[in-house]
Amino acid sequence: MDFSALPTTAFIRPDGKNRDAIATLLHQVVDLLVETMAQATERSPLPEPLLTEDYGWAKLAKASVDVQQLLIEVQTHLHHSMNAAHPGYISHMDSIPSTMSVIADLLVAALNNNMLSVEMSPVFSRLEILVLKQVAQLFGLGPQANGVLVSGGSLANLQALIVARNAAFNALDHGITQVKQPVFFVSEVAHTSFKKAAMVMGLGTKAAIPVATHQNSQIDITDLKTKLIQAKANGQQPFAIVATAGTTVTGSIDPIAEMAHIANLHQLWFHVDAAYGGALMFSDRHQSQLAGIEQANSVTFNPQKWLYVAKTCAIVMFRQFDQLQEYFRVLAPYMNDHNDWPNLGELTVQGTRHPDILKLWLSLQHIGRNGYSAIIDHNYALTQTFTSAVKERPFLTLASEPQMNLICFRSEPNTVPIEKQDQWNHSLQQWLLKQGNTCLSLPVYRGQRWLKAVLLNPFTTNEHIDKLFADIDSYHTTQAEL
């Protein structure tokens, strides 16, 4: 090929002839990366977006653009992006990434292996099986348990429910055309991925039957039993019960052990969505909050959240891993078999899969269980400080008693009419961002706007919490004087 139409650094030449040019470019990129991340506290947690009238910076080029110009433009984009590394970014379950997960993503991007098959990723396919088996054992799922990596918790929940449905109705080959109204039960405040899963599975969103929650946002066991009886009386066919370990808005944990008992009693598949809360299994002090999870048929867990692995990194685990072979696997005849090592793309919703396993494994090795446990303990200590500060102020109220490092609260001063309190809290959120570089989210919960803090960043301190509440007090004082 005539390479004259391409820039010198378009590819890393396999013969090494542009090695020096590539090394120079990568050194510049690494410098940019380190500078950006090491100066995260100097930028807002949520900067104003880069906007121009014609969006000229997004137009595609016909001829090659000089790489130095590209790096200048990229730096601008980085500085206007969501800044999850800032200790004041406590609005969502987005974390500062572990160093090793950043390094791993760079390395696997260069290799460009495909996790569809062992042949196309001979090391990483085996590593995924070996590492996830150990993670499944950590969750107590038993000697036959293992998991697969997928791109996010939504896909993990979808795959778990597909296997549950196929197992219940022997639906792998012929579907559920002869099955009347399959349904499953999930908390009314569970993640929206369950309604999506019901829709994608052809059941319709109403197949995800919502179960009422009590004041602490945990499933009401009495209502679950009632809904089960009602569904059967209505001719519906239940096939699964879902517990949530870490709801999105309040971080609440359903009564897992009690729900496992009910699932077993009715011979239903039991799935636990521990996308966020699963990290507690890495803490000797706090893992008891997930008691009963070892009885699950399947578990969703996202290391991209509380284990600080760069997105995306999510796991769906199965107590009986061979059920994937029986109730999900679709063979790819263009791929070779490798004895005891499965082609993971045949066992997942995705075919082409990114080698996320390297960043997970490197992060687990580099930080270690002791390191993760220390971070989780720190997060819980901050949560206690934060919660106490809320309770000390009569104009603030908690949505529920925190079970993890999420605090959902709301300002309800007596001087503000109820119908204006949503706007009041929205204005408070903006005040905190502009005055103190603290970014809280503003979810809708029980029909009202609430403020949510996720104390995930290891570099968030008591001083940040003190400053946050000083800014809240300042807002109330300032607004009262207007």
Side-chain angles (χ1 to χ4, degrees):
M1 175 180 171
D2 180 6
F3 284 92
S4 60
L6 301 178
T8 305
T9 52
F11 301 93
I12 303 175
R13 290 184 60 118
D15 58 12
K17 290 184 178 180
N18 66 345
R19 176 173 179 157
D20 290 344
I22 292 293
T24 298
L25 174 57
L26 289 179
H27 280 303
Q28 290 178 297
V29 170
V30 169
D31 287 344
L32 174 59
L33 183 156
V34 174
E35 179 185 18
T36 299
M37 299 305 293
Q39 296 177 353
T41 56
E42 299 176 17
R43 302 188 305 278
S44 169
L46 195 64
E48 292 293 328
L50 178 64
L51 296 175
T52 60
E53 290 184 3
D54 61 356
Y55 293 94
W57 50 269
K59 291 182 179 178
L60 301 182
K62 183 175 181 180
S64 174
V65 177
D66 178 72
V67 71
Q68 298 307 316
Q69 178 60 35
L70 288 176
L71 289 180
I72 291 172
E73 293 181 10
V74 165
Q75 183 180 41
T76 301
H77 299 330
L78 294 177
H79 286 183
H80 286 272
S81 296
M82 183 191 79
N83 183 14
H86 194 293
Y89 181 89
I90 55 175
S91 53
H92 295 284
M93 297 172 178
D94 299 301
S95 65
I96 183 174
S98 70
T99 303
M100 279 300 175
S101 64
V102 174
I103 291 171
D105 260 351
L106 176 63
L107 294 173
V108 297
L111 291 175
N112 208 26
N113 279 203
N114 186 348
M115 296 291 284
L116 168 62
S117 70
V118 176
E119 181 179 20
M120 300 168 76
S121 54
V123 173
F124 300 132
S125 288
R126 291 174 167 89
L127 185 62
E128 182 168 325
I129 289 292
L130 295 171
V131 170
L132 297 195
K133 186 172 183 63
Q134 295 174 73
V135 175
Q137 303 312 306
L138 180 63
F139 278 74
L141 295 176
Q144 305 304 315
N146 210 316
V148 290
L149 286 167
V150 294
S151 294
S154 293
L155 276 181
N157 289 330
L158 171 63
Q159 176 145 359
L161 287 175
I162 291 174
V163 175
R165 180 203 61 188
N166 289 354
F169 305 115
N170 195 25
L172 176 63
D173 293 326
H174 300 291
I176 54 169
T177 56
Q178 304 302 314
V179 180
K180 184 179 179 181
Q181 298 185 63
V183 295
F184 61 92
F185 303 87
V186 65
S187 167
E188 63 180 351
V189 294
H191 195 264
T192 56
S193 59
F194 290 103
K195 285 188 176 181
K196 286 184 180 179
M199 175 185 63
V200 171
M201 292 162 64
L203 309 179
T205 59
K206 300 246 182 234
I209 296 179
V211 180
T213 54
H214 56 55
Q215 62 182 6
N216 278 330
S217 296
Q218 299 166 298
I219 269 185
D220 185 311
I221 291 296
T222 300
D223 191 58
L224 174 59
K225 293 177 179 178
T226 300
K227 292 284 174 59
L228 258 169
I229 294 170
Q230 289 175 345
K232 292 180 179 180
N234 292 337
Q236 296 171 312
Q237 297 193 54
F239 67 92
I241 292 176
V242 177
T244 301
T247 57
T248 307
V249 176
T250 63
S252 301
I253 302 172
D254 285 334
I256 299 173
E258 291 181 76
M259 295 177 70
H261 174 72
I262 294 171
N264 183 60
L265 189 65
H266 291 268
Q267 296 184 314
L268 301 177
W269 186 280
F270 183 48
H271 176 66
V272 180
D273 178 11
Y276 190 78
L280 294 181
M281 296 307 295
F282 289 78
S283 167
D284 291 338
R285 180 177 298 180
H286 299 289
Q287 64 179 222
S288 61
Q289 292 203 76
L290 300 184
I293 200 169
E294 70 282 354
Q295 300 178 58
N297 297 100
S298 56
V299 175
T300 289
F301 171 46
N302 287 15
Q304 68 189 25
K305 299 182 185 294
W306 213 346
L307 294 192
Y308 307 93
V309 179
K311 299 179 184 69
T312 60
C313 187
I315 308 170
V316 56
M317 294 174 283
F318 294 88
R319 167 181 291 283
Q320 298 294 331
F321 190 66
D322 59 2
Q323 288 181 316
L324 284 179
Q325 300 275 354
E326 186 175 358
Y327 298 116
F328 192 91
R329 186 185 186 194
V330 175
L331 288 172
Y334 43 86
M335 289 299 158
N336 295 327
D337 289 329
H338 292 270
N339 299 322
D340 296 331
W341 300 98
N343 291 325
L344 296 173
E346 298 175 341
L347 301 179
T348 58
V349 175
Q350 298 160 267
T352 298
R353 301 167 65 248
H354 188 265
D356 292 324
I357 187 59
L358 184 62
K359 59 188 173 186
L360 173 59
W361 177 70
L362 284 177
S363 296
L364 292 173
Q365 296 294 88
H366 192 217
I367 296 176
R369 283 189 61 182
N370 290 341
Y372 281 118
S373 182
I375 295 173
I376 292 170
D377 287 348
H378 169 71
N379 296 153
Y380 265 96
L382 283 182
T383 300
Q384 185 173 4
T385 299
F386 196 112
T387 305
S388 296
V390 171
K391 292 180 177 180
E392 288 168 1
R393 289 161 172 81
F395 54 85
L396 299 180
T397 184
L398 288 169
S400 63
E401 196 66 31
Q403 289 181 274
M404 292 194 293
N405 59 336
L406 276 74
I407 305 98
C408 187
F409 68 107
R410 174 177 163 87
S411 173
E412 296 180 339
N414 294 331
T415 55
V416 178
I418 293 176
E419 65 273 12
K420 293 184 178 181
Q421 287 181 356
D422 277 1
Q423 181 56 48
W424 172 270
N425 280 277
H426 178 267
S427 298
L428 173 56
Q429 179 209 32
Q430 295 302 305
W431 171 276
L432 294 173
L433 180 61
K434 293 173 182 176
Q435 294 291 119
N437 268 344
T438 302
C439 185
L440 301 176
S441 57
L442 196 70
V444 175
Y445 179 68
R446 294 173 180 163
Q448 296 176 310
R449 288 286 179 184
W450 295 74
L451 297 165
K452 183 180 77 170
V454 185
L455 301 178
L456 187 58
N457 194 316
F459 298 97
T460 303
T461 65
N462 282 324
E463 286 70 27
H464 291 107
I465 305 304
D466 292 341
K467 177 65 167 61
L468 164 64
F469 281 94
D471 289 337
I472 289 176
D473 293 340
S474 174
Y475 175 79
H476 282 78
T477 302
T478 301
Q479 295 302 307
E481 294 173 351
L482 294 180

